[in-house]
Amino acid sequence: NAGVMQNPRHLVRRRGQEARLRCSPMKGHSHVYWYRQLPEEGLKFMVYLQKENIIDESGMPKERFSAEFPKEGPSILRIQQVVRGDSAAYFCASSQGRVTPYNEQFFGPGTRLTVL
Amino acid sequence: EDKVVQSPLSLVVHEGDTVTLNCSYEVTNFRSLLWYKQEKKAPTFLFMLTSSGIEKKSGRLSSILDKKELFSILNITATQTGDSAVYLCAVEAPTPFGNEKLTFGTGTRLTIIP
């Protein structure tokens, strides 16, 4: 039973390029969460998606960042025109949805983005 | 805005020592508090706490929540080098969108010296 998968594990981009991060949730999970972890900081919530719907994007920067979770295929976090400040580890988590008593989120191994 | 503060930021102890990690929080509509262990990859779930005063235990790890004083502690007894990791505390709260959101602290980096 594969866990949450993310790829690539490491991504290097030059300033101004686009970064595309992929997340395949655990089998049976239809809820996906993206988090960003800056160096020496905790994980910060970015966005929560269900299949074909963005439910909560309150943590997403207003510009350059977008996320999708299509009916088929992985969830994608896209960062356009990357800047050095985007360098961070991006974690994806998935869950089954609201299952009492707790909707446990299972985390992927993360994508470490480095912007040169 | 929900807030989670962990202390200390880092801790170095010798193998066999006992450590206590602290987590305090300010959150609207608290639902639960969670502890995770993060080595060089994905955070792995340790405990979920919802009720005050009830200790959760897993081997040498234990945790307890105080909802009146808004804090939790994570204890690790007889530490081993494999306990070296960053320990993250998070609080879960509902959002206006119908989902629950996790707010994380910055973590405590624990290093165990053989």
Side-chain angles (χ1 to χ4, degrees):
Chain A
N1 183 17
V4 178
M5 298 175 68
Q6 290 187 249
N7 67 83
R9 295 292 306 279
H10 299 273
L11 182 61
V12 179
R13 285 286 177 265
R14 296 192 181 278
R15 279 178 297 170
Q17 291 184 318
E18 178 179 285
R20 194 173 292 208
L21 289 63
R22 293 175 187 78
C23 168
S24 296
M26 281 180 70
K27 189 175 180 181
H29 287 190
S30 58
H31 298 237
V32 166
Y33 311 76
W34 285 94
Y35 294 85
R36 176 165 64 174
Q37 187 174 35
L38 294 169
E40 305 304 320
E41 292 190 15
L43 281 76
K44 293 278 195 291
F45 168 80
M46 298 181 77
V47 62
Y48 161 58
L49 310 102
Q50 296 178 20
K51 284 282 186 182
E52 299 185 279
N53 283 304
I54 298 174
I55 307 299
D56 178 0
E57 55 182 346
S58 58
M60 287 278 269
K62 294 286 186 280
E63 297 176 346
R64 303 188 296 109
F65 285 72
S66 63
E68 63 178 19
F69 188 16
K71 189 176 179 182
E72 302 291 337
S75 175
I76 307 283
L77 180 68
R78 186 180 290 112
I79 312 172
Q80 297 178 301
Q81 299 175 323
V82 295
V83 301
R84 288 224 175 100
D86 297 333
S87 295
Y90 291 83
F91 288 93
C92 166
S94 74
S95 72
Q96 287 182 301
R98 187 68 195 156
V99 178
T100 57
Y102 169 59
N103 180 26
E104 183 174 351
Q105 296 180 27
F106 294 82
F107 283 84
T111 294
R112 189 163 298 280
L113 172 65
T114 302
V115 179
L116 302 177
Chain B
E1 187 177 319
D2 297 344
K3 190 175 173 185
V4 177
V5 178
Q6 291 186 246
S7 64
L9 291 181
S10 67
L11 187 57
V12 181
V13 300
H14 287 96
E15 201 167 19
D17 288 351
T18 293
V19 297
T20 299
L21 310 182
N22 303 292
C23 175
S24 63
Y25 62 91
E26 295 173 23
V27 63
T28 306
N29 297 323
F30 173 90
R31 179 163 279 164
S32 64
L33 184 144
L34 302 101
W35 285 96
Y36 290 85
K37 178 182 182 182
Q38 186 180 23
E39 295 169 273
K40 289 180 182 176
K41 43 186 179 177
T44 52
F45 173 81
L46 294 175
F47 295 112
M48 180 192 72
L49 302 150
T50 55
S51 302
S52 275
I54 299 175
E55 186 183 51
K56 294 269 182 107
K57 278 184 74 82
S58 176
R60 296 175 294 102
L61 277 67
S62 63
S63 183
I64 198 161
L65 173 68
D66 186 329
K67 289 169 74 173
K68 184 179 176 187
E69 300 297 329
L70 307 183
F71 78 91
S72 173
I73 59 172
L74 175 68
N75 278 321
I76 309 175
T77 59
T79 51
Q80 303 171 358
T81 53
D83 296 327
S84 294
V86 174
Y87 288 83
L88 297 170
C89 173
V91 291
E92 184 194 28
T95 76
F97 308 99
N99 58 302
E100 292 77 40
K101 189 163 81 173
L102 294 179
T103 301
F104 283 84
T106 54
T108 293
R109 182 175 295 279
L110 176 64
T111 303
I112 309 298
I113 300 172

